[in-house]
């Protein structure tokens, strides 16, 4: 039971780290970078949240 709790906590921390890293990358994109990618920052943030957390 304790092992399960620790395992879930580690998985949650790993997801949060990955999410934070991707958010930082997206936030660092300039308006020009987004235009070149034909991307919308808010849509990208939504998609990574959906991808990581379901």
């Amino acid at each position: 039971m304790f092992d399960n709790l620790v395992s879930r906590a580690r998985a949650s921390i790993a997801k949060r780290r990955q999410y934070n890293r991707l958010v930082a990358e997206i936030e660092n994109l300039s308006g020009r970078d987004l235009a070149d990618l034909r991307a919308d920052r808010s849509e990208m943030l939504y998609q990574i949240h959906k991808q990581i957390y379901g």
Side-chain angles (χ1 to χ4, degrees), residues 15 18-19 21-22 26 43-54:
K15 281 183 179 182
Q18 181 182 17
Y19 177 76
R21 183 180 53 78
L22 290 171
I26 291 170
E43 180 63 25
M44 292 174 77
L45 293 170
Y46 170 75
Q47 290 298 326
I48 65 161
H49 188 274
K50 189 171 140 182
Q51 177 185 1
I52 292 174
Y53 294 110

Side-chain angles (χ1 to χ4, degrees), residues 25-36 41:
E25 286 182 24
I26 291 170
E27 292 295 333
N28 285 329
L29 291 173
S30 69
R32 175 66 185 205
D33 292 333
L34 290 169
D36 288 346
R41 187 182 319 270

